[in-house]
Amino acid sequence: MWSKLWSIVRIQMGVNFAYRGNILFWLLIHLLGFVVLYCFWAAIYSDRTLVQGMVFPQMISYLIAVSMIREFVLVAPEYEINGTIKSGKLSSFLVRPFAYPIHVLLSSSLWHILETIIGIVIYFTIAHFLLPDMIWHWSWNIIPLVIFGHVISSLLSLCLGTLAFWLTEASAFYYYKEILIFMTAGILFPYQLMPVWIQKIMNVLPFYPSMGL
């Protein structure tokens, strides 16, 4: 069993490094997103010192921490599942030693582990230049929360991916999921900056707690 699992890991890592252009594109997109958020909050703090009790360095450290965590927590294998079902290639996985969901979740997790490692290096480098005097408080308690968040996100994506069995075009639901997560997981704005009614929604949904925030 373990040899078969290792074979999947080895093949998937080879695929990840074979498409190095995807990694570079991912880096560019995420860095541009962070730059946009940085400029947005820099403009907000240009004429004030505090925003809901948070100073500018605190806000930037929050954005950096969220950017690192989201690389591992937010997964989207539903797009791959959708493409496999619509192309008719799902049948080829029925004769393989592992069930298709295990293959998808394992390959997705490996890709996001690689993303997380690269992201940690990049965002710590950014933090070194933007916040040289910042003292980072690390707690090991966040690790199980982040892993649990990754599991929740993976299972949710797996369920959404199976919509392709019944819908001609299910990608709209994937976009709705991403919008909902971005609004209620504290990625764009900290929890305390959101309106009360959105905070109540965030308390009910699993996305904000799964980010370990």
Side-chain angles (χ1 to χ4, degrees), residues 36-57:
V36 170
L37 284 176
Y38 179 85
C39 295
F40 172 80
W41 286 111
I44 295 294
Y45 279 95
S46 62
D47 58 350
R48 68 197 70 189
T49 305
L50 293 175
V51 175
Q52 291 292 91
M54 298 180 67
V55 296
F56 185 61

CSV table of all heavy atoms in Angstrom, one decimal, residues 36-57:
chain,number,residue,atom,x,y,z
A,36,VAL,N,-1.7,44.6,-4.4
A,36,VAL,CA,-2.9,45.4,-4.5
A,36,VAL,C,-3.5,45.6,-3.1
A,36,VAL,O,-3.9,46.7,-2.7
A,36,VAL,CB,-3.9,44.6,-5.4
A,36,VAL,CG1,-5.3,45.3,-5.2
A,36,VAL,CG2,-3.5,44.6,-6.8
A,37,LEU,N,-3.5,44.6,-2.3
A,37,LEU,CA,-4.0,44.8,-0.9
A,37,LEU,C,-3.1,45.7,-0.1
A,37,LEU,O,-3.6,46.5,0.7
A,37,LEU,CB,-4.0,43.4,-0.2
A,37,LEU,CG,-5.2,42.5,-0.6
A,37,LEU,CD1,-5.1,41.1,0.1
A,37,LEU,CD2,-6.5,43.1,-0.3
A,38,TYR,N,-1.8,45.6,-0.3
A,38,TYR,CA,-0.9,46.5,0.4
A,38,TYR,C,-1.1,47.9,0.0
A,38,TYR,O,-1.2,48.8,0.9
A,38,TYR,CB,0.6,46.1,0.1
A,38,TYR,CG,1.6,47.0,0.8
A,38,TYR,CD1,2.0,46.8,2.1
A,38,TYR,CD2,2.1,48.1,0.1
A,38,TYR,CE1,3.0,47.6,2.7
A,38,TYR,CE2,3.1,48.9,0.7
A,38,TYR,CZ,3.5,48.7,2.0
A,38,TYR,OH,4.4,49.5,2.6
A,39,CYS,N,-1.2,48.2,-1.3
A,39,CYS,CA,-1.5,49.6,-1.7
A,39,CYS,C,-2.9,50.1,-1.2
A,39,CYS,O,-3.0,51.3,-0.8
A,39,CYS,CB,-1.5,49.7,-3.2
A,39,CYS,SG,0.2,49.3,-3.9
A,40,PHE,N,-3.9,49.2,-1.2
A,40,PHE,CA,-5.2,49.5,-0.7
A,40,PHE,C,-5.1,50.0,0.8
A,40,PHE,O,-5.6,51.1,1.1
A,40,PHE,CB,-6.1,48.3,-0.8
A,40,PHE,CG,-7.5,48.5,-0.2
A,40,PHE,CD1,-8.5,49.3,-0.8
A,40,PHE,CD2,-7.7,48.0,1.1
A,40,PHE,CE1,-9.7,49.4,-0.2
A,40,PHE,CE2,-9.0,48.2,1.7
A,40,PHE,CZ,-10.0,48.9,1.0
A,41,TRP,N,-4.5,49.2,1.6
A,41,TRP,CA,-4.4,49.6,3.0
A,41,TRP,C,-3.4,50.7,3.3
A,41,TRP,O,-3.6,51.5,4.2
A,41,TRP,CB,-4.0,48.3,3.9
A,41,TRP,CG,-5.1,47.3,4.0
A,41,TRP,CD1,-5.2,46.1,3.5
A,41,TRP,CD2,-6.3,47.5,4.7
A,41,TRP,NE1,-6.3,45.5,3.8
A,41,TRP,CE2,-7.1,46.4,4.6
A,41,TRP,CE3,-6.8,48.6,5.5
A,41,TRP,CZ2,-8.3,46.2,5.1
A,41,TRP,CZ3,-8.1,48.4,6.0
A,41,TRP,CH2,-8.8,47.3,5.9
A,42,ALA,N,-2.4,50.9,2.5
A,42,ALA,CA,-1.5,52.0,2.6
A,42,ALA,C,-2.3,53.3,2.3
A,42,ALA,O,-2.1,54.3,3.0
A,42,ALA,CB,-0.4,51.9,1.6
A,43,ALA,N,-3.2,53.3,1.4
A,43,ALA,CA,-4.1,54.4,1.1
A,43,ALA,C,-5.0,54.7,2.2
A,43,ALA,O,-5.3,55.9,2.6
A,43,ALA,CB,-4.9,54.2,-0.2
A,44,ILE,N,-5.6,53.6,2.8
A,44,ILE,CA,-6.5,53.8,4.0
A,44,ILE,C,-5.8,54.4,5.1
A,44,ILE,O,-6.3,55.3,5.8
A,44,ILE,CB,-7.1,52.4,4.4
A,44,ILE,CG1,-8.0,51.9,3.3
A,44,ILE,CG2,-7.9,52.6,5.7
A,44,ILE,CD1,-9.2,52.6,3.0
A,45,TYR,N,-4.6,54.0,5.4
A,45,TYR,CA,-3.8,54.5,6.6
A,45,TYR,C,-3.1,55.8,6.3
A,45,TYR,O,-2.4,56.3,7.1
A,45,TYR,CB,-2.8,53.5,7.0
A,45,TYR,CG,-3.4,52.4,7.9
A,45,TYR,CD1,-3.8,51.2,7.3
A,45,TYR,CD2,-3.6,52.6,9.3
A,45,TYR,CE1,-4.4,50.2,8.1
A,45,TYR,CE2,-4.1,51.6,10.1
A,45,TYR,CZ,-4.5,50.4,9.5
A,45,TYR,OH,-5.1,49.4,10.3
A,46,SER,N,-3.2,56.3,5.1
A,46,SER,CA,-2.4,57.6,4.7
A,46,SER,C,-2.9,58.8,5.6
A,46,SER,O,-2.1,59.7,5.8
A,46,SER,CB,-2.6,57.9,3.2
A,46,SER,OG,-4.0,58.1,2.9
A,47,ASP,N,-4.2,58.8,6.0
A,47,ASP,CA,-4.7,59.9,6.7
A,47,ASP,C,-5.2,59.5,8.1
A,47,ASP,O,-5.9,60.3,8.8
A,47,ASP,CB,-5.8,60.6,6.0
A,47,ASP,CG,-6.9,59.7,5.7
A,47,ASP,OD1,-6.8,58.5,5.9
A,47,ASP,OD2,-8.0,60.2,5.2
A,48,ARG,N,-4.8,58.3,8.6
A,48,ARG,CA,-5.2,57.9,9.9
A,48,ARG,C,-4.1,56.9,10.5
A,48,ARG,O,-3.3,56.4,9.7
A,48,ARG,CB,-6.5,57.3,9.9
A,48,ARG,CG,-6.6,55.9,9.2
A,48,ARG,CD,-8.0,55.5,8.8
A,48,ARG,NE,-8.5,56.4,7.8
A,48,ARG,CZ,-9.8,56.4,7.4
A,48,ARG,NH1,-10.7,55.7,8.0
A,48,ARG,NH2,-10.2,57.3,6.4
A,49,THR,N,-4.1,56.8,11.8
A,49,THR,CA,-3.2,55.9,12.5
A,49,THR,C,-3.8,54.5,12.8
A,49,THR,O,-3.1,53.5,12.7
A,49,THR,CB,-2.6,56.5,13.7
A,49,THR,OG1,-2.1,57.8,13.4
A,49,THR,CG2,-1.6,55.7,14.4
A,50,LEU,N,-5.1,54.6,13.2
A,50,LEU,CA,-5.7,53.3,13.6
A,50,LEU,C,-7.0,53.1,12.8
A,50,LEU,O,-7.7,54.0,12.3
A,50,LEU,CB,-6.2,53.5,15.1
A,50,LEU,CG,-5.1,53.5,16.2
A,50,LEU,CD1,-5.7,53.8,17.5
A,50,LEU,CD2,-4.3,52.2,16.2
A,51,VAL,N,-7.2,51.8,12.5
A,51,VAL,CA,-8.4,51.3,11.9
A,51,VAL,C,-9.0,50.2,12.7
A,51,VAL,O,-8.4,49.1,12.7
A,51,VAL,CB,-8.2,50.9,10.4
A,51,VAL,CG1,-9.5,50.3,9.8
A,51,VAL,CG2,-7.7,52.0,9.5
A,52,GLN,N,-10.0,50.5,13.4
A,52,GLN,CA,-10.6,49.5,14.3
A,52,GLN,C,-9.6,48.9,15.3
A,52,GLN,O,-9.5,47.7,15.6
A,52,GLN,CB,-11.2,48.3,13.6
A,52,GLN,CG,-12.5,48.7,12.8
A,52,GLN,CD,-13.7,49.0,13.7
A,52,GLN,OE1,-13.9,50.1,14.1
A,52,GLN,NE2,-14.4,48.0,14.1
A,53,GLY,N,-8.7,49.8,15.8
A,53,GLY,CA,-7.7,49.5,16.8
A,53,GLY,C,-6.5,48.8,16.3
A,53,GLY,O,-5.6,48.4,17.0
A,54,MET,N,-6.3,48.7,14.9
A,54,MET,CA,-5.2,48.1,14.3
A,54,MET,C,-4.3,49.2,13.6
A,54,MET,O,-4.8,50.0,12.9
A,54,MET,CB,-5.6,47.1,13.3
A,54,MET,CG,-6.4,45.9,13.9
A,54,MET,SD,-6.8,44.7,12.6
A,54,MET,CE,-5.2,44.0,12.1
A,55,VAL,N,-3.0,49.2,13.9
A,55,VAL,CA,-2.1,50.1,13.2
A,55,VAL,C,-1.6,49.4,11.9
A,55,VAL,O,-1.9,48.2,11.7
A,55,VAL,CB,-0.9,50.4,14.1
A,55,VAL,CG1,-1.3,51.2,15.4
A,55,VAL,CG2,-0.1,49.2,14.5
A,56,PHE,N,-1.0,50.2,11.1
A,56,PHE,CA,-0.6,49.7,9.7
A,56,PHE,C,0.3,48.5,9.8
A,56,PHE,O,0.0,47.5,9.1
A,56,PHE,CB,0.0,50.8,9.0
A,56,PHE,CG,0.3,50.5,7.5
A,56,PHE,CD1,-0.7,50.1,6.7
A,56,PHE,CD2,1.7,50.5,7.1
A,56,PHE,CE1,-0.4,49.8,5.3
A,56,PHE,CE2,2.0,50.2,5.8
A,56,PHE,CZ,0.9,49.8,4.9
A,57,PRO,N,1.3,48.4,10.6
A,57,PRO,CA,2.2,47.2,10.7
A,57,PRO,C,1.4,46.0,11.1
A,57,PRO,O,1.6,44.9,10.6
A,57,PRO,CB,3.2,47.6,11.7
A,57,PRO,CG,3.3,49.0,11.7
A,57,PRO,CD,1.9,49.5,11.4
